[in-house]
Amino acid sequence: MKKIEVIIPVYKPGEQFEKLILRLKKQSYLPDRIHVINTVSDRFPAKFCEEQGIHVTHIEKADFDHGGTRDMGMRQSDADIVVFMTQDAVPADPFLIEHLTAPFEREDVGAAYARQLPRKDCHIIERYTRSFNYPEKSRLKGKADIPVLGIKTFFCSDVCAAYSKKAYEETGGFEKKTIFNEDMILAGHMVEKGYMIAYAADAQVIHSHNYTGLQQFHRNFDLAVSQAEHPEVFAGIASESEGIRLVKNTARYLLREKKGWLIPKLVWHSGCKYLGYRLGRSYRKLPLWLVRKCTMSQSYWEK
């Protein structure tokens, strides 16, 4: 059996984190090691981690990077498959690790990512977005799918994703410095090298956010910056059409559910996403003070 490690970067982890760890401890396939990379703060459950036998690495806030920190964890691991999770992604059942690592029976699979299910408090618009991005059916995606799937070919989420250590090393791994989107950048490099990206719909975590329009703006600005900085992956592959399809499908869904009064909110949030995305793609033309107003990652621009 292949050796499996779970790596979880955390910052001020709360109740969801402890639930995540306890559910990982009850998996049908138990990971060989759980490694928590903690960004130092005034809140960390050190006693809980010690009791659960968790390996912990502490880093300073200034040293955290979405790609670099995960790469550090990966380089320290001797596992065959490394699973990355965020501190607020809770396994939906005891079969998460089993289903997430199953695609690696194929040697050409470089990465696999889990289905994200909405929390009970998830707003109806975000609930539909979850079903749009994480459908019920699993699938493999590779270079041949780019003409049909476009940017969706590279879609992968480190909220809960597993990587083959061999494929990771062959493709150079995560970018050591990236504002956001380290998962899709790596997936793009893997696809280019001939690897497949697996969407494992049977591997499920509970994870969702009720973002405001302004938060959506900031996230999409940083997303677009990451795409602009990596033309080797994203050049010539438009993502706006996928966004338009999501908006249209969501509007139809709201009408079917007799929630048409929420369409103005949908339009507002979609407009915030689009504006953030367009500004992010053109960030090099913007003054630094405006970039800092648009980003959610202030530290990125100070490095």
Side-chain angles (χ1 to χ4, degrees):
M1 185 179 291
K2 292 182 178 180
K3 192 171 185 179
I4 300 168
E5 178 169 346
V6 178
I7 298 178
I8 312 167
V10 304
Y11 178 65
K12 295 185 177 180
E15 180 184 341
Q16 296 296 318
F17 168 72
E18 296 192 7
K19 188 181 292 186
L20 157 60
I21 296 297
L22 293 175
R23 291 197 182 182
L24 282 177
K25 289 285 189 171
K26 295 179 180 178
Q27 291 292 298
S28 58
Y29 281 12
L30 288 173
D32 295 272
R33 185 170 87 152
I34 301 174
H35 181 186
V36 168
I37 304 177
N38 173 53
T39 300
V40 174
S41 69
D42 57 358
R43 192 171 76 221
F44 179 72
K47 184 179 179 182
F48 170 79
C49 288
E50 183 178 353
E51 290 172 347
Q52 296 300 319
I54 307 302
H55 178 75
V56 179
T57 299
H58 297 284
I59 62 172
E60 295 298 323
K61 189 173 182 180
D63 295 327
F64 175 80
D65 182 273
H66 285 282
T69 299
R70 288 177 171 87
D71 180 72
M72 177 190 74
M74 176 68 90
R75 301 292 176 185
Q76 292 176 3
S77 175
D78 63 354
D80 302 297
I81 300 171
V82 177
V83 177
F84 286 94
M85 299 184 70
T86 56
Q87 66 190 49
D88 58 348
V90 178
D93 56 42
F95 307 105
L96 171 67
I97 301 299
E98 179 179 345
H99 291 316
L100 186 62
T101 57
F104 294 97
E105 293 176 4
R106 290 181 51 140
E107 291 295 322
D108 62 344
V109 170
Y113 64 100
R115 185 182 184 192
Q116 295 183 30
L117 303 176
R119 294 197 182 99
K120 290 180 180 178
D121 67 348
C122 186
H123 189 274
I124 186 172
I125 294 176
E126 177 58 24
R127 188 173 291 272
Y128 182 80
T129 300
R130 279 281 173 272
S131 68
F132 181 88
N133 288 328
Y134 302 96
E136 295 180 357
K137 188 177 179 181
S138 299
R139 76 167 296 165
L140 283 172
K141 303 177 293 183
K143 192 180 292 189
D145 296 297
I146 293 176
V148 175
L149 295 179
I151 199 166
K152 275 281 192 177
T153 309
F154 313 135
F155 186 76
C156 182
S157 175
D158 277 345
V159 164
C160 185
Y163 297 90
S164 156
K165 185 72 178 294
K166 175 176 174 288
Y168 184 91
E169 291 175 343
E170 283 184 12
T171 53
F174 291 122
E175 295 295 314
K176 309 308 179 286
K177 180 188 175 185
T178 180
I179 189 170
F180 194 49
N181 210 28
E182 78 291 336
D183 35 29
M184 284 186 67
I185 295 168
L186 176 55
H189 290 152
M190 286 185 168
V191 168
E192 181 60 31
K193 287 282 188 178
Y195 282 102
M196 306 292 285
I197 307 301
Y199 168 54
D202 291 339
Q204 300 176 354
V205 291
I206 301 167
H207 177 266
S208 61
H209 292 286
N210 291 321
Y211 289 124
T212 65
L214 189 57
Q215 287 171 323
Q216 298 280 22
F217 170 87
H218 292 314
R219 285 178 61 81
N220 277 267
F221 179 85
D222 288 353
L223 173 69
V225 168
S226 75
Q227 292 185 11
E229 291 186 336
H230 291 278
E232 78 281 5
V233 176
F234 301 105
I237 301 179
S239 60
E240 288 95 331
S241 58
E242 189 67 11
I244 292 169
R245 189 166 74 91
L246 172 58
V247 174
K248 288 180 177 179
N249 286 5
T250 306
R252 293 190 194 103
Y253 173 74
L254 291 174
L255 290 172
R256 284 199 308 270
E257 294 295 311
K258 302 189 183 336
K259 302 273 187 182
W261 52 274
L262 286 172
I263 288 179
K265 181 175 182 178
L266 170 65
V267 172
W268 162 247
H269 277 225
S270 301
C272 289
K273 288 180 182 180
Y274 183 72
L275 180 59
Y277 181 81
R278 294 307 304 171
L279 286 172
R281 291 290 293 190
S282 305
Y283 81 94
R284 293 185 179 91
K285 300 176 182 178
L286 305 178
L288 184 57
W289 68 266
L290 182 54
V291 168
R292 285 177 168 158
K293 290 285 186 182
C294 295
T295 187
M296 64 178 181
S297 303
Q298 295 293 333
S299 61
Y300 181 79
W301 304 98
E302 296 168 2
K303 295 180 181 179

mmCIF file of all heavy atoms in Angstrom, residues 35 79 82 86 118 133-134 141 158 172 179-180 194 220 233 242 252 262 273 275 277 298:
data_model
loop_
_atom_site.group_PDB
_atom_site.id
_atom_site.type_symbol
_atom_site.label_atom_id
_atom_site.label_comp_id
_atom_site.label_asym_id
_atom_site.label_seq_id
_atom_site.Cartn_x
_atom_site.Cartn_y
_atom_site.Cartn_z
ATOM 1 N N HIS A 35 0.553 16.260 9.130
ATOM 2 C CA HIS A 35 1.523 17.326 9.361
ATOM 3 C C HIS A 35 0.806 18.671 9.301
ATOM 4 O O HIS A 35 0.241 19.036 8.266
ATOM 5 C CB HIS A 35 2.618 17.259 8.290
ATOM 6 C CG HIS A 35 3.688 18.294 8.436
ATOM 7 N ND1 HIS A 35 4.684 18.465 7.486
ATOM 8 C CD2 HIS A 35 3.940 19.211 9.402
ATOM 9 C CE1 HIS A 35 5.482 19.437 7.873
ATOM 10 N NE2 HIS A 35 5.050 19.914 9.025
ATOM 11 N N ALA A 79 6.205 10.475 1.733
ATOM 12 C CA ALA A 79 5.019 9.719 1.315
ATOM 13 C C ALA A 79 4.948 9.601 -0.198
ATOM 14 O O ALA A 79 5.524 10.418 -0.934
ATOM 15 C CB ALA A 79 3.756 10.394 1.853
ATOM 16 N N VAL A 82 0.617 12.762 -1.231
ATOM 17 C CA VAL A 82 0.462 13.800 -0.218
ATOM 18 C C VAL A 82 -0.866 14.508 -0.435
ATOM 19 O O VAL A 82 -1.159 14.984 -1.533
ATOM 20 C CB VAL A 82 1.626 14.811 -0.262
ATOM 21 C CG1 VAL A 82 1.397 15.929 0.752
ATOM 22 C CG2 VAL A 82 2.948 14.104 0.022
ATOM 23 N N THR A 86 -7.316 22.347 3.797
ATOM 24 C CA THR A 86 -7.367 23.586 4.565
ATOM 25 C C THR A 86 -8.015 23.303 5.905
ATOM 26 O O THR A 86 -8.698 22.296 6.095
ATOM 27 C CB THR A 86 -8.152 24.677 3.818
ATOM 28 O OG1 THR A 86 -9.464 24.189 3.497
ATOM 29 C CG2 THR A 86 -7.434 25.085 2.538
ATOM 30 N N PRO A 118 -21.721 21.881 0.514
ATOM 31 C CA PRO A 118 -21.990 23.101 1.276
ATOM 32 C C PRO A 118 -22.322 22.816 2.737
ATOM 33 O O PRO A 118 -22.875 21.767 3.076
ATOM 34 C CB PRO A 118 -23.203 23.706 0.555
ATOM 35 C CG PRO A 118 -23.890 22.529 -0.069
ATOM 36 C CD PRO A 118 -22.800 21.575 -0.457
ATOM 37 N N ASN A 133 -19.483 23.619 -9.666
ATOM 38 C CA ASN A 133 -18.045 23.355 -9.716
ATOM 39 C C ASN A 133 -17.673 21.941 -9.272
ATOM 40 O O ASN A 133 -16.622 21.419 -9.650
ATOM 41 C CB ASN A 133 -17.293 24.362 -8.838
ATOM 42 C CG ASN A 133 -17.267 25.754 -9.448
ATOM 43 O OD1 ASN A 133 -17.240 25.900 -10.664
ATOM 44 N ND2 ASN A 133 -17.281 26.776 -8.602
ATOM 45 N N TYR A 134 -18.554 21.341 -8.447
ATOM 46 C CA TYR A 134 -18.268 20.014 -7.907
ATOM 47 C C TYR A 134 -19.481 19.106 -8.133
ATOM 48 O O TYR A 134 -20.242 18.821 -7.205
ATOM 49 C CB TYR A 134 -17.931 20.103 -6.411
ATOM 50 C CG TYR A 134 -16.762 21.012 -6.123
ATOM 51 C CD1 TYR A 134 -16.961 22.345 -5.750
ATOM 52 C CD2 TYR A 134 -15.452 20.558 -6.237
ATOM 53 C CE1 TYR A 134 -15.894 23.192 -5.498
ATOM 54 C CE2 TYR A 134 -14.376 21.389 -5.992
ATOM 55 C CZ TYR A 134 -14.609 22.704 -5.622
ATOM 56 O OH TYR A 134 -13.540 23.540 -5.379
ATOM 57 N N LYS A 141 -9.275 14.416 -16.365
ATOM 58 C CA LYS A 141 -9.066 15.518 -17.291
ATOM 59 C C LYS A 141 -7.603 15.546 -17.722
ATOM 60 O O LYS A 141 -6.702 15.414 -16.885
ATOM 61 C CB LYS A 141 -9.429 16.845 -16.617
ATOM 62 C CG LYS A 141 -10.858 16.914 -16.089
ATOM 63 C CD LYS A 141 -11.141 18.216 -15.373
ATOM 64 C CE LYS A 141 -10.338 18.343 -14.094
ATOM 65 N NZ LYS A 141 -10.654 19.586 -13.345
ATOM 66 N N ASP A 158 -6.897 22.972 -3.509
ATOM 67 C CA ASP A 158 -6.145 22.522 -2.345
ATOM 68 C C ASP A 158 -6.958 22.593 -1.056
ATOM 69 O O ASP A 158 -6.421 22.325 0.023
ATOM 70 C CB ASP A 158 -4.857 23.332 -2.195
ATOM 71 C CG ASP A 158 -3.744 22.800 -3.070
ATOM 72 O OD1 ASP A 158 -3.870 21.676 -3.570
ATOM 73 O OD2 ASP A 158 -2.734 23.516 -3.256
ATOM 74 N N GLY A 172 8.071 20.027 -11.120
ATOM 75 C CA GLY A 172 8.617 21.200 -10.439
ATOM 76 C C GLY A 172 7.867 21.624 -9.202
ATOM 77 O O GLY A 172 8.322 22.501 -8.467
ATOM 78 N N ILE A 179 0.589 34.356 -5.317
ATOM 79 C CA ILE A 179 -0.426 35.098 -4.584
ATOM 80 C C ILE A 179 -1.623 34.225 -4.238
ATOM 81 O O ILE A 179 -2.301 34.416 -3.229
ATOM 82 C CB ILE A 179 -0.865 36.340 -5.403
ATOM 83 C CG1 ILE A 179 -1.750 37.256 -4.576
ATOM 84 C CG2 ILE A 179 -1.560 35.931 -6.708
ATOM 85 C CD1 ILE A 179 -2.006 38.604 -5.240
ATOM 86 N N PHE A 180 -1.877 33.204 -5.064
ATOM 87 C CA PHE A 180 -3.122 32.444 -4.969
ATOM 88 C C PHE A 180 -3.084 31.404 -6.084
ATOM 89 O O PHE A 180 -2.218 31.451 -6.954
ATOM 90 C CB PHE A 180 -4.298 33.415 -5.168
ATOM 91 C CG PHE A 180 -5.662 32.909 -4.785
ATOM 92 C CD1 PHE A 180 -5.883 32.304 -3.563
ATOM 93 C CD2 PHE A 180 -6.741 33.050 -5.644
ATOM 94 C CE1 PHE A 180 -7.150 31.849 -3.212
ATOM 95 C CE2 PHE A 180 -8.008 32.612 -5.308
ATOM 96 C CZ PHE A 180 -8.202 32.012 -4.079
ATOM 97 N N GLY A 194 1.642 15.706 -19.553
ATOM 98 C CA GLY A 194 0.972 14.478 -19.940
ATOM 99 C C GLY A 194 0.241 13.763 -18.824
ATOM 100 O O GLY A 194 -0.344 12.692 -19.030
ATOM 101 N N ASN A 220 -11.158 37.351 -6.757
ATOM 102 C CA ASN A 220 -11.020 37.251 -8.206
ATOM 103 C C ASN A 220 -9.904 38.138 -8.739
ATOM 104 O O ASN A 220 -9.316 37.826 -9.775
ATOM 105 C CB ASN A 220 -12.356 37.555 -8.878
ATOM 106 C CG ASN A 220 -13.262 36.344 -8.905
ATOM 107 O OD1 ASN A 220 -13.290 35.586 -9.857
ATOM 108 N ND2 ASN A 220 -13.996 36.124 -7.819
ATOM 109 N N VAL A 233 0.682 28.642 -18.552
ATOM 110 C CA VAL A 233 -0.473 27.780 -18.250
ATOM 111 C C VAL A 233 -1.753 28.362 -18.836
ATOM 112 O O VAL A 233 -2.527 27.660 -19.494
ATOM 113 C CB VAL A 233 -0.646 27.587 -16.725
ATOM 114 C CG1 VAL A 233 -1.915 26.777 -16.426
ATOM 115 C CG2 VAL A 233 0.568 26.896 -16.122
ATOM 116 N N GLU A 242 -16.830 30.526 -18.947
ATOM 117 C CA GLU A 242 -17.261 29.627 -17.879
ATOM 118 C C GLU A 242 -18.016 30.413 -16.802
ATOM 119 O O GLU A 242 -19.008 29.945 -16.253
ATOM 120 C CB GLU A 242 -16.048 28.922 -17.262
ATOM 121 C CG GLU A 242 -16.384 27.814 -16.290
ATOM 122 C CD GLU A 242 -17.039 26.608 -16.932
ATOM 123 O OE1 GLU A 242 -17.053 26.518 -18.177
ATOM 124 O OE2 GLU A 242 -17.563 25.752 -16.187
ATOM 125 N N ARG A 252 -31.261 30.740 -13.780
ATOM 126 C CA ARG A 252 -32.325 29.789 -14.109
ATOM 127 C C ARG A 252 -32.716 28.971 -12.871
ATOM 128 O O ARG A 252 -33.902 28.717 -12.628
ATOM 129 C CB ARG A 252 -31.878 28.852 -15.229
ATOM 130 C CG ARG A 252 -31.686 29.528 -16.576
ATOM 131 C CD ARG A 252 -31.489 28.495 -17.682
ATOM 132 N NE ARG A 252 -30.984 29.120 -18.899
ATOM 133 C CZ ARG A 252 -29.729 29.069 -19.308
ATOM 134 N NH1 ARG A 252 -28.836 28.391 -18.609
ATOM 135 N NH2 ARG A 252 -29.354 29.668 -20.438
ATOM 136 N N LEU A 262 -33.643 37.007 -5.667
ATOM 137 C CA LEU A 262 -32.211 36.975 -5.352
ATOM 138 C C LEU A 262 -31.332 37.266 -6.572
ATOM 139 O O LEU A 262 -30.117 37.379 -6.441
ATOM 140 C CB LEU A 262 -31.834 35.603 -4.779
ATOM 141 C CG LEU A 262 -32.274 35.318 -3.344
ATOM 142 C CD1 LEU A 262 -32.019 33.862 -2.988
ATOM 143 C CD2 LEU A 262 -31.569 36.258 -2.361
ATOM 144 N N LYS A 273 -17.093 39.967 -9.084
ATOM 145 C CA LYS A 273 -16.125 38.960 -9.546
ATOM 146 C C LYS A 273 -15.480 39.407 -10.859
ATOM 147 O O LYS A 273 -14.258 39.344 -11.025
ATOM 148 C CB LYS A 273 -16.822 37.609 -9.763
ATOM 149 C CG LYS A 273 -17.238 36.887 -8.502
ATOM 150 C CD LYS A 273 -17.920 35.564 -8.890
ATOM 151 C CE LYS A 273 -18.403 34.797 -7.699
ATOM 152 N NZ LYS A 273 -19.069 33.524 -8.087
ATOM 153 N N LEU A 275 -15.294 42.444 -12.277
ATOM 154 C CA LEU A 275 -14.453 43.638 -12.156
ATOM 155 C C LEU A 275 -13.110 43.281 -11.521
ATOM 156 O O LEU A 275 -12.052 43.725 -11.992
ATOM 157 C CB LEU A 275 -15.159 44.709 -11.330
ATOM 158 C CG LEU A 275 -14.389 46.016 -11.118
ATOM 159 C CD1 LEU A 275 -14.047 46.670 -12.445
ATOM 160 C CD2 LEU A 275 -15.196 46.973 -10.232
ATOM 161 N N TYR A 277 -11.649 40.416 -11.572
ATOM 162 C CA TYR A 277 -10.899 39.606 -12.524
ATOM 163 C C TYR A 277 -10.251 40.483 -13.600
ATOM 164 O O TYR A 277 -9.074 40.323 -13.924
ATOM 165 C CB TYR A 277 -11.814 38.568 -13.171
ATOM 166 C CG TYR A 277 -11.110 37.663 -14.146
ATOM 167 C CD1 TYR A 277 -10.381 36.571 -13.695
ATOM 168 C CD2 TYR A 277 -11.149 37.913 -15.516
ATOM 169 C CE1 TYR A 277 -9.704 35.748 -14.577
ATOM 170 C CE2 TYR A 277 -10.482 37.096 -16.411
ATOM 171 C CZ TYR A 277 -9.765 36.012 -15.933
ATOM 172 O OH TYR A 277 -9.091 35.202 -16.817
ATOM 173 N N GLN A 298 -2.060 41.274 1.090
ATOM 174 C CA GLN A 298 -1.178 42.433 1.217
ATOM 175 C C GLN A 298 0.294 42.041 1.297
ATOM 176 O O GLN A 298 1.158 42.692 0.702
ATOM 177 C CB GLN A 298 -1.552 43.237 2.471
ATOM 178 C CG GLN A 298 -2.940 43.867 2.422
ATOM 179 C CD GLN A 298 -3.062 44.953 1.373
ATOM 180 O OE1 GLN A 298 -2.081 45.596 1.026
ATOM 181 N NE2 GLN A 298 -4.276 45.167 0.865
#
